[in-house]
Structures are given as C-alpha cells and as structure tokens.
Amino acid sequence: MSTTTLDTPADAPAPAAEPATRGRRPGERGPLGTVLLHAGLVVASLIALAPVAWLIYLSLGPAKDDYLHPGKIAGKMSFSNYGFVLQHTEFFDWFKSTMIVALGTTVVGVLLAATTGYAVSRMRFPGYKQLMWVLLLTQAFPIAVLIVPMYQIFSDLGLIDSYWALILVNCTTAVPYSAWLLKGYFDTIPFEIDEAGRVDGLTPFGTFFRLILPLARPGLAVAAFYNFITAVAEVAFATTFMLDDSKYTFSVGLQTFVSQHDAEWNYMAATAVLIAIPVAVFFYLVQKNLVTGLTSGGTKG
C-alpha cells in the first residue's frame, strides 16, 4: 500500500493575512466626522434657542425699560409681568378666541386640503392639473391687496367681527399649501389600497376615510400643525375683521401694549411666552406622527 503526497508548489502565493482592523465602509463617518457633526448640531440648537431664552429673560424684568439694560434684570427677576397679564388684561378672552379660530382653521383647512389633495392624486378630471396651479397662484397675492375686497365680501355676508370670518380667511392661506403637501403624501400611497377598498365594497368616501387617511397620518399631522400656526400668528386680517375687544386673538391682543408714544415691552414679552405654551402643547400632541412611516404596514410583500 502506497501513500501519495501532494506537495504545494514553491511558487504558489501565500494566503493573504487577515487585516488587523476593519476599514470603514463607504459613507461611514469617522470619529472626527461624528464630533464635527454633533458640534454643528449643538451650535445650530443654541442659535435656535437663543431668541426664546432671551425673550423669557426679558419677560422677567419688572420694568418696561429693562430691555434697555438687560444686565440689571438678573438682580431683580420676578414673575410680576405674568401676574399682571393674567389678572389685569383680557388674556383669557384672547386665549378663547385664538383657540376657536386656530382649531376651526385646523379642522376646516385640513378637511378641505385632504379632500382636494386626494381628488387630484387619484382622479383624472378636466382641469385637475390647473386646479393645483390655481391654488399655488393664490399665494402670490399680498395680504394688503386682499384685505379691502375680502372685508367687503364678509361685510355683505354679515361675518365681520365673527370667528367664521377669520377661520375662512385663514383657510385661504393655509389650504393651498396643505393641499400640495397632502397630494404628495397621497401619491406615495399604493393605488392598490384603493382597489382593495372597492373590492371590499367600500364607497370612494369610505376608502378615503377608512383606508387612506390612517396611512396619511404623518402628512395630516404636518398640515394640521401648519394650519394651527398660521391661525395663531395671523395679524393683518385679525386686526381688520375683529372689532370687539373680547374677541381679539393673541396677535391683536399684543398690540394693546403698544401706544403711539410708548410700548410696554415687559408685558409683551410675558404675553409672548404665554402664547407659546398652547402652541408647544399642540406640537407635542402631533409630533409623534411627524416621524412615523407614511405607509408602514399598509402593504405586504
């Protein structure tokens, strides 16, 4: 019995040695890149928070001229400005009016924008492309040009000094942008979902409300927040259309601290901080939907 031995040729290449350290994959940041990224984010956050912190700091100065000497505020901080605003102004009437207008604008505006965006996204009717461009064109007109004709229209309808006037006029600003936004969200939802709804016997409205809207929740959250902010921050129309001081919104109420010869900046700063609270609460309620997947779980395979 013989044994055959296979000899390795002398000129055969030796197996490559395993690298001691694994190299970075393409696009992966190194330690220096990570540090620079976090440093940039910290700087950007500080820049964004600086005006808010400065406003809160000024609101703690008890005198109206403390903003001229901000260094002296630290030694005499107090919450007297907040007490004055809450007890000696119509702040809670402003709050009620603002919430009625803002929530009304949010509900009506999102409903109109969602139905418009869905119709343009799913249906092909004559002029559907032109409709979206007309909505976009409405944003080109300055508010100063629109105030007089819209005041005349609402006066003829008997809506001056009513909440409906502000809700409708705010929708003219918020709906066009929201419709474009929601159309983009609806375009990303597979059309097969609509077909599945029709197969199950749902009407077009049933498909829209029961299948599409739940999948478009992130888009609806963004549109709702935009509508809410638009209504809270609107000044020109609220100043023109609201005559009863008990129906002033926050934006109009702030102007009561400014007269022809004087301005009470300490009360304005305190009111501005208080105004930010309901906006922050609304953002907290919708922010969880801003980062969720648009159609996560909507289809399989």
Side-chain angles (χ1 to χ4, degrees):
M1 182 176 182
S2 62
T3 303
T4 304
T5 303
L6 298 177
D7 296 330
T8 303
D11 56 349
E18 291 292 332
T21 58
R22 182 181 61 86
R24 291 198 302 270
R25 291 179 300 214
E28 184 178 0
R29 289 189 300 270
L32 180 59
T34 301
V35 171
L36 293 177
L37 175 62
H38 285 80
L41 293 175
V42 170
V43 172
S45 300
L46 292 176
I47 293 175
L49 293 175
V52 179
W54 185 250
L55 181 66
I56 295 174
Y57 179 72
L58 292 180
S59 70
L60 299 176
K64 64 180 180 180
D65 295 329
D66 282 340
Y67 73 97
L68 297 174
H69 310 284
K72 298 180 180 179
I73 295 178
K76 54 179 181 179
M77 288 184 179
S78 72
F79 293 95
S80 59
N81 295 329
Y82 294 93
F84 178 88
V85 170
L86 295 175
Q87 298 175 11
H88 301 288
T89 68
E90 304 297 327
F91 178 83
F92 292 102
D93 288 335
W94 304 341
F95 175 80
K96 180 190 71 173
S97 300
T98 302
M99 290 300 102
I100 292 175
V101 173
L103 294 177
T105 301
T106 300
V107 173
V108 176
V110 171
L111 179 61
L112 293 176
T115 51
T116 302
Y118 179 73
V120 176
S121 174
R122 290 297 197 264
M123 304 173 186
R124 294 297 176 263
F125 51 89
Y128 75 95
K129 291 184 178 180
Q130 290 76 4
L131 172 62
M132 296 305 292
W133 286 111
V134 169
L135 290 177
L136 188 63
L137 182 63
T138 60
Q139 305 298 291
F141 293 94
I143 293 178
V145 175
L146 300 176
I147 286 180
V148 174
M150 297 193 75
Y151 185 92
Q152 184 63 46
I153 292 173
F154 287 130
S155 179
D156 294 339
L157 295 175
L159 295 178
I160 295 298
D161 202 26
S162 71
Y163 296 127
W164 273 111
L166 287 186
I167 291 174
L168 294 176
V169 78
N170 287 333
C171 285
T172 63
T173 302
V175 168
Y177 171 80
S178 300
W180 272 94
L181 171 72
L182 292 175
K183 177 188 178 298
Y185 273 91
F186 293 140
D187 286 343
T188 63
I189 298 177
F191 189 74
E192 289 76 10
I193 294 178
D194 299 67
E195 296 176 345
R198 287 196 292 269
V199 170
D200 290 340
L202 292 177
T203 63
F205 280 102
T207 302
F208 174 65
F209 284 105
R210 297 181 61 179
L211 299 180
I212 302 301
L213 287 186
L215 295 176
R217 187 176 299 172
L220 296 175
V222 175
F225 187 67
Y226 174 77
N227 281 256
F228 188 85
I229 290 294
T230 298
V232 171
E234 202 282 318
V235 178
F237 291 117
T239 304
T240 305
F241 295 159
M242 305 308 284
L243 307 178
D244 187 352
D245 56 0
S246 64
K247 294 183 179 180
Y248 285 173
T249 59
F250 280 143
S251 58
V252 183
L254 278 174
Q255 299 181 26
T256 61
F257 297 117
V258 181
S259 63
Q260 184 177 359
H261 304 289
D262 195 10
E264 298 172 308
W265 296 106
N266 53 331
Y267 297 146
M268 290 185 66
T271 306
V273 174
L274 293 173
I275 291 173
I277 295 176
V279 178
V281 171
F282 188 84
F283 175 77
Y284 175 78
L285 294 176
V286 302
Q287 59 86 26
K288 62 181 179 181
N289 293 316
L290 300 180
V291 294
T292 56
L294 182 61
T295 57
S296 177
T299 57
K300 294 182 179 180

